[in-house]
Amino acid sequence: MVEAVRQYAGQSGQNARAPEMSEDLLALFRKTDALLDGHFILRSGLHSREYFQCAILLQHTEIAAQVCGQLADRLRDFDCDTVISPALGGIIVGQEVGRWLGKRHIFVEKEDGKLVLRRGFQISPDEKFIVVEDVVTRGGRVQETIDIVRSHGGIVSAVGVIVDRSGETKPDFGCPFVSLVEMNVENFAADNLPPDLANIPAVKPGSK
């Protein structure tokens, strides 16, 4: 595990090319057991054979710094006063991206089943935000975060995620959307499962 961290840290940097970096990052997901195979229920409610458990990857602080540094580099050219992320999965990503960009980081969190701004965090009119998340499939939590920013008069300059697994149904957030890895992973509605998944108990390993 330590060697996997060192190898990725040695390959990372501001000049890393996207294709090579994506392959390295996917390999690192595998090495850290953060890319799971089985039958999973995603936050979107869709079912999948694969699940990106970013928390397993980001528990290694050196990896978190390097991976989020790569994402920050992709976002550096966008106007930004503040980084914002949805809890729980986006908090580490948002904190690290904010640190790399030299910006403050705030987060939204669930209350009564929906994301809200709490803890005294403030959004000022015309304040420019970058929204960051760990993994996006349909982008519901990102869109909720964008709606919160805009409802307070803020401006969303861009969205950045580690893994975009939306495939051909890429969400339209009304602003630039960048990722470190794009995966065209099959997703299935609960009432239209293929036989191999229907015969395996489903688990929901993501955020509540």
Side-chain angles (χ1 to χ4, degrees):
M1 184 67 66
V2 173
E3 184 59 29
V5 175
R6 288 173 177 167
Q7 287 177 359
Y8 185 79
Q11 293 164 352
S12 298
Q14 293 187 2
N15 296 321
R17 291 184 295 172
E20 293 179 357
M21 189 275 301
S22 295
E23 292 171 6
D24 292 340
L25 183 52
L26 283 173
L28 194 59
F29 266 98
R30 290 288 188 189
K31 288 179 180 178
T32 57
D33 295 322
L35 179 51
L36 311 177
D37 297 308
H39 182 185
F40 306 101
I41 302 175
L42 310 178
R43 281 192 301 250
S44 62
L46 296 174
H47 291 235
S48 177
R49 296 185 181 93
E50 292 184 301
Y51 188 84
F52 289 88
Q53 184 57 280
C54 279
I56 297 297
L57 181 77
L58 299 177
Q59 68 178 316
H60 305 288
T61 54
E62 187 173 350
I63 291 179
Q66 293 293 337
V67 170
C68 296
Q70 290 284 352
L71 183 57
D73 286 341
R74 299 281 186 90
L75 297 166
R76 197 171 297 279
D77 291 337
F78 297 104
D79 288 338
C80 176
D81 301 308
T82 304
V83 174
I84 188 169
S85 60
L88 187 63
I91 289 182
I92 294 176
V93 185
Q95 187 73 17
E96 285 292 336
V97 168
R99 183 174 67 85
W100 279 95
L101 295 179
K103 307 295 182 180
R104 79 173 180 129
H105 166 244
I106 64 175
F107 57 87
V108 293
E109 58 191 302
K110 271 193 175 180
E111 183 177 78
D112 298 327
K114 64 178 183 179
L115 292 176
V116 297
L117 192 67
R118 297 183 61 237
R119 302 177 188 270
F121 290 141
Q122 298 293 319
I123 294 175
S124 301
D126 297 325
E127 186 175 3
K128 296 180 176 64
F129 284 83
I130 288 176
V131 178
V132 300
E133 174 68 298
D134 54 358
V135 181
V136 158
T137 303
R138 284 182 168 174
R141 281 158 41 95
V142 169
Q143 187 60 59
E144 279 189 75
T145 305
I146 291 172
D147 292 343
I148 289 170
V149 170
R150 291 174 176 166
S151 71
H152 286 78
I155 299 168
V156 177
S157 302
V159 171
V161 303
I162 295 176
V163 180
D164 170 17
R165 52 167 298 158
S166 61
E168 296 179 355
T169 60
K170 192 174 295 294
D172 181 5
F173 297 123
C175 63
F177 174 33
V178 301
S179 63
L180 294 185
V181 176
E182 291 187 23
M183 291 287 289
N184 191 9
V185 179
E186 284 187 297
N187 303 313
F188 306 94
D191 59 356
N192 190 31
L193 297 179
D196 64 307
L197 286 189
N199 292 326
I200 303 173
V203 297
K204 191 173 183 179
S207 301
K208 301 295 185 182

